[in-house]
Amino acid sequence: MKNQINDIKNQALEEISKADTLKKIENLRVKYSGRKSELTNVLRGIKDLSVAEKKEIGEFGNLTKQAIDGELSKKELQIKNEELKNIDEKEKIDITYPGEKFAKGHLHPLTQVRYDIEEIFKSMGFLVVEDREVEDEFHNFDAMNMPKDHPARDMQDTFWLKNGYVPRTHTSSVQARFMEKNKPPLKIISLGRVYRNENSDATHESNFHQIEGLIAAKSGEVTVANAKSIISEFMKGLFGKETKIRLRPSYFPFVEPGFEFDASCPYCKGEGCRICKQCGWIELGGAGMVNQNVFKAVGFTEDEFEGFAFGFGIERLAMIKYGIDDIRLFHAGDLRFLEQF
Ligand code: PHE
């Protein structure tokens, strides 16, 4: 009987040492220490033994049960500690650990520049207006003093739609649209997309953005000097207070006289650098006194009003402001570029 008990003990201790979950410990407790366990079963036979044997085997049996129970408890504690340690490892919070950085969205650089431009002009009392991107021939060309056979039409490569409409080639069409409904005095800017049928390269895209400006009032009330100071304020607001501007004579059919505008290079302040191609000035856009034919096209009497108009490419302004050398980056959707703004 002693041997039987010893075998049970050895088997129990071996199985306990291998157990690695609380569930297994629980099962072993039932198997080796519970009321229906093998050991209890064997010990039931004691009643048939002699008194001396009863004492000896009884004691041995008790010690064995204690040993098994002891091992079970020890192992149980060990497993519990192990589990707690794992939870600690997994759920440990280190409050000194730097927080996770969330990627925050932001406005596209072109939109940022667009808002900057709008703010500058609003502060000078301009109204911001918008109009359609698909124009009829009249508003895009004829009303801008570019009738069908006018050679100036070749200045702008045009996408023609089958129905005779055009994705507007410039925002100047908004001048005509606005003056059909509003008589001078007026001060407006209009920003939006324009389309030209040209191949794209580092400085050209078939789809880009322009800002158009128009000031008109009774004849004699608007001069080139007013316009120059407004554009100068605009450039200072966008590129910094020290920015200078200059006008050069140029030709656009919808203005007379016409100019091209340059700003002093915001990088080298006129010294000459990579951005301004060593000349110290950067060409920005066109401007001029509104041609009387434009006023006539929208139904005004010749010489009743006088005005000044200007137009700039927004991409070009953004490229200079941020030192970007390829216009195609704006629409490429490359996050490595966009995340820099
Ligand atoms: N519409 C002209 C262009 O797209 C720019 C311009 C606007 C020039 C207003 C003069 C006056 O090139």
Side-chain angles (χ1 to χ4, degrees), residues 99-269:
E100 226 174 278
K101 204 172 168 198
F102 289 100
K104 252 203 287 173
H106 62 76
L107 295 175
H108 188 280
L110 278 183
T111 313
Q112 291 179 30
V113 171
R114 180 183 173 146
Y115 286 173
D116 286 351
I117 295 171
E118 287 185 3
E119 281 315 308
I120 297 168
F121 278 104
K122 276 191 212 160
S123 75
M124 292 192 277
F126 279 74
L127 183 70
V128 181
V129 300
E130 273 189 65
D131 220 299
R132 67 211 68 189
E133 281 180 31
V134 175
E135 261 304 353
D136 53 37
E137 204 178 335
F138 175 76
H139 292 89
N140 194 84
F141 292 121
D142 303 53
M144 289 293 112
N145 194 30
M146 297 156 90
K148 272 186 194 54
D149 53 356
H150 199 292
R153 282 216 184 180
D154 297 339
M155 286 167 70
Q156 299 180 352
D157 301 303
T158 310
F159 288 114
W160 287 95
L161 303 182
K162 284 206 182 91
N163 58 9
Y165 283 69
V166 291
R168 64 183 175 192
T169 57
H170 54 182
T171 41
S172 298
S173 53
V174 182
Q175 290 184 35
R177 287 274 173 200
F178 193 79
M179 287 195 291
E180 279 173 341
K181 297 209 184 83
N182 303 276
K183 267 195 152 188
L186 50 88
K187 264 165 101 175
I188 58 161
I189 55 161
S190 185
L191 300 91
R193 280 182 194 276
V194 299
Y195 302 82
R196 302 240 175 127
N197 188 2
E198 49 190 340
N199 292 330
S200 63
D201 59 30
T203 51
H204 296 89
E205 274 274 49
S206 52
N207 172 214
F208 57 102
H209 298 74
Q210 281 189 335
I211 165 188
E212 187 81 13
L214 174 68
I215 312 154
K218 281 221 159 59
S219 276
E221 288 180 4
V222 183
T223 66
V224 174
N226 302 141
K228 199 177 166 187
S229 82
I230 283 170
I231 292 178
S232 172
E233 278 309 301
F234 167 42
M235 291 305 158
K236 285 180 178 162
L238 201 61
F239 297 133
K241 288 218 170 342
E242 29 343 297
T243 313
K244 295 189 189 71
I245 59 161
R246 71 176 186 188
L247 307 183
R248 283 177 290 111
S250 185
Y251 173 74
F252 299 95
F254 28 90
V255 288
E256 178 58 38
F259 310 100
E260 243 159 316
F261 264 99
D262 297 338
S264 57
C265 177
Y267 289 91
C268 60
K269 317 275 178 243

Side-chain angles (χ1 to χ4, degrees), residues 244 263-273 276 278-282:
K244 295 189 189 71
S264 57
C265 177
Y267 289 91
C268 60
K269 317 275 178 243
E271 300 270 299
C273 70
C276 58
Q278 309 306 330
C279 89
W281 293 93
I282 294 181

Side-chain angles (χ1 to χ4, degrees), residues 83-101:
E83 278 182 5
L84 279 178
K85 217 169 100 193
N86 282 346
I87 291 175
D88 256 12
E89 279 303 314
K90 261 193 275 167
E91 299 183 1
K92 177 159 78 180
I93 297 173
D94 177 355
I95 55 164
T96 64
Y97 199 76
E100 226 174 278
K101 204 172 168 198

